[in-house]
């Protein structure tokens, strides 16, 4: 089992970030994940809200994330959690996850040499996609309903 952790800042209020991230992830059940061209894989992508048990100071949600490649190849199944932490004028998204390298011992050797770097880059790209979606949705929400009761921005 190989563990991966990546972080990214997002300009969005803490109160809206998990909801916007969930919306972004749910728009794409069939997602193309890549560390960069030409490598990549189409995956079945799933998310589910859960309680964030990694934060003892406050109760809030996190997102369980999983994917399974549509075709078996270089990309393994992935399981992880996306958490959100307030930071200055926004939040930090963090993905913590794990995967089993495919192809047994040769796969583990490949993972040790280069596979982990591919996994980290893939997670950074996924975080960038989610972050950009959150920021677009936040900006659109601000324009449509500035802090209206019932919107994620008013929480």
């Amino acid at each position: 089992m190989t563990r991966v952790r990546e972080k990214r800042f997002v300009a969005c209020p803490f109160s809206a970030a998990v909801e916007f991230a969930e919306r972004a992830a749910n728009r794409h059940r069939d997602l193309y994940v890549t560390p960069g061209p030409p490598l990549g894989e189409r995956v079945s992508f799933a998310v589910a809200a859960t309680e964030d048990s990694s934060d003892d100071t406050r109760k809030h949600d996190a997102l369980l994330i999983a994917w399974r490649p549509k075709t078996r190849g270089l990309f393994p199944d992935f399981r992880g959690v996306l958490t959100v932490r307030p930071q200055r004028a926004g939040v930090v998204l963090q993905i913590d996850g794990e995967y089993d390298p495919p192809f047994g011992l040769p796969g583990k050797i490949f993972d040790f040499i280069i596979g982990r770097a591919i996994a980290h880059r893939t997670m950074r790209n996924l975080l960038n996609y989610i972050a950009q979606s959150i920021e677009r949705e936040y900006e659109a929400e601000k324009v449509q309903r500035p802090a209206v009761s019932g919107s994620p921005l008013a929480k």
Side-chain angles (χ1 to χ4, degrees):
M1 196 67 63
T2 300
R3 300 195 56 78
V4 179
R5 172 181 283 172
E6 288 293 331
K7 296 180 181 184
R8 183 174 186 302
F9 177 81
V10 180
C12 176
F14 176 77
S15 60
V18 171
E19 181 179 337
F20 289 163
E22 186 173 17
R23 287 183 197 172
N26 279 324
R27 275 193 287 275
H28 299 283
R29 295 293 188 192
D30 182 32
L31 187 67
Y32 185 75
V33 295
T34 178
L39 291 177
E41 182 71 50
R42 188 145 305 277
V43 299
S44 297
F45 190 73
V47 296
T50 188
E51 185 176 305
D52 183 353
S53 60
S54 68
D55 187 354
D56 294 334
T57 59
R58 65 176 72 192
K59 298 234 186 263
H60 50 86
D61 288 338
L63 294 178
L64 297 174
I65 295 176
W67 76 52
R68 173 163 290 170
K70 295 262 184 185
T71 58
R72 291 294 175 196
L74 296 178
F75 282 73
D77 294 354
F78 174 82
R79 298 160 300 287
V81 63
L82 177 76
T83 56
V84 177
R85 297 291 181 270
Q87 183 178 13
R88 294 184 202 103
V91 297
V92 172
L93 298 179
Q94 179 173 305
I95 290 183
D96 286 291
E98 58 190 24
Y99 62 92
D100 283 321
F103 309 119
L105 183 58
K108 288 180 182 183
I109 293 169
F110 175 83
D111 188 59
F112 181 76
I113 295 169
I114 194 167
R116 290 178 194 192
I118 292 170
H120 281 278
R121 188 164 176 120
T122 301
M123 289 301 108
R124 279 192 300 274
N125 285 342
L126 177 61
L127 271 181
N128 284 337
Y129 162 75
I130 293 171
Q132 290 166 0
S133 294
I134 289 171
E135 289 171 341
R136 277 193 304 271
E137 191 152 353
Y138 171 55
E139 289 302 317
E141 184 97 3
K142 277 192 334 188
V143 169
Q144 291 176 1
R145 294 180 269 165
V148 173
S149 178
S151 83
L153 303 178
K155 292 181 183 175

